């Protein structure tokens, strides 16, 4: 009798729990724009406006970009509400089809600048304005860092592009800020 009950139980439970789940053919992965929006990015213009409003000062962006292709550009203003010392503007240029085509610009007030004295293999450059710039390689990006108009600028390019976008190219980009 117990064997019959176990047998019936083993047959009835799986049959009663058999439900069909259908995947919608209309559900697609989020677009690149949606993915960036989810992590706080918006248009460059909106982010710049937030940054300028927060600091009550205009910010100048480079007129020149690296000579590689980008499909999208995004901006994000990060406000450090806890310590009020790490507010910055980030502008990201990406290529949806070429993952190594990444370029970014971080801008922060000089009073909250990031110091790079502990970096090794720093190369120093002089911009047309007479300001000094430093270039160094990091884990994922190579950076050119300089100060202009009370802001610290960090231009970062994907390490995989170091043969196409050289330190001299980044200096030209920095010199395009007028």
């Amino acid at each position: 009798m117990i064997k019959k009950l176990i047998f019936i139980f083993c047959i009835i439970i799986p049959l009663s729990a058999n439900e069909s789940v259908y995947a919608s053919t209309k559900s697609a992965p989020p677009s690149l724009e949606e993915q960036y929006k989810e992590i706080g990015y918006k248009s460059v213009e909106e982010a710049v406006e937030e940054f300028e409003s927060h600091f009550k000062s205009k910010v100048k962006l480079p007129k020149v970009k690296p000579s590689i292709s980008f499909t999208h550009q995004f901006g994000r203003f990060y406000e450090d509400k806890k310590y009020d010392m790490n507010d910055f503007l980030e502008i990201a240029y990406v290529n949806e089809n070429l993952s190594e085509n990444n370029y970014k610009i971080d801008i922060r007030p000089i009073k909250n600048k990031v110091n790079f004295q502990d970096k090794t293999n720093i190369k120093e450059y002089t911009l047309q304005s007479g300001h000094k710039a430093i270039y160094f390689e990091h884990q994922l990006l190579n950076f050119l860092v300089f100060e202009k108009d009370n802001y610290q600028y960090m231009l970062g390019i994907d390490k995989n592009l170091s043969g196409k976008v050289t330190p001299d190219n980044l200096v030209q980009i920095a010199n395009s800020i007028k």
Side-chain angles (χ1 to χ4, degrees):
M1 179 73 176
I2 292 180
K3 286 183 179 181
K4 282 185 180 180
L5 286 174
I6 292 174
F7 176 75
I8 292 171
F9 187 73
C10 288
I11 297 291
I12 292 175
I13 296 297
L15 290 176
S16 65
N18 186 14
E19 295 181 28
S20 297
V21 177
Y22 298 99
S24 170
T25 57
K26 293 183 181 180
S27 63
S31 69
L32 188 66
E33 293 89 351
E34 291 167 333
Q35 292 174 36
Y36 270 79
K37 188 175 183 179
E38 284 178 17
I39 56 174
Y41 286 90
K42 50 189 69 174
S43 76
V44 171
E45 295 77 18
E46 289 174 293
V48 167
E49 189 176 296
E50 285 180 23
F51 181 83
E52 290 177 340
S53 175
H54 180 78
F55 288 108
K56 296 174 182 32
S57 173
K58 292 286 185 192
V59 65
K60 297 173 185 169
L61 301 179
K63 306 272 189 247
V64 175
K65 291 184 251 196
S67 58
I68 54 175
S69 64
F70 301 109
T71 58
H72 296 78
Q73 61 183 19
F74 303 100
R76 169 169 69 173
F77 168 57
Y78 176 78
E79 183 179 0
D80 179 3
K81 294 183 181 187
K82 187 172 182 178
Y83 299 107
D84 193 35
M85 61 185 293
N86 198 27
D87 301 341
F88 68 95
L89 172 65
E90 179 183 4
I91 300 171
Y93 297 87
V94 296
N95 187 312
E96 190 169 19
N97 306 310
L98 299 168
S99 61
E100 70 272 5
N101 283 21
N102 288 312
Y103 166 61
K104 68 181 258 164
I105 304 168
D106 286 351
I107 305 169
R108 66 185 74 238
I110 287 179
K111 69 179 181 138
N112 299 333
K113 73 180 181 179
V114 179
N115 289 312
F116 298 100
Q117 288 130 348
D118 62 335
K119 293 285 179 202
T120 57
N121 295 327
I122 290 178
K123 296 177 187 171
E124 193 171 287
Y125 293 84
T126 302
L127 304 178
Q128 288 173 347
S129 64
H131 291 94
K132 297 292 181 193
I134 60 168
Y135 175 84
F136 63 93
E137 296 178 357
H138 199 259
Q139 291 174 324
L140 301 174
L141 301 170
N142 296 336
F143 288 99
L144 182 75
V145 181
F146 58 95
E147 297 174 6
K148 183 172 179 77
D149 299 328
N150 295 314
Y151 291 115
Q152 180 186 52
Y153 288 75
M154 294 176 57
L155 309 180
I157 192 74
D158 192 295
K159 276 186 95 105
N160 294 323
L161 296 171
S162 61
K164 294 179 183 177
V165 182
T166 65
D168 289 333
N169 297 135
L170 292 175
V171 168
Q172 289 172 346
I173 294 168
N175 284 330
S176 75
I177 301 173
K178 307 262 182 205

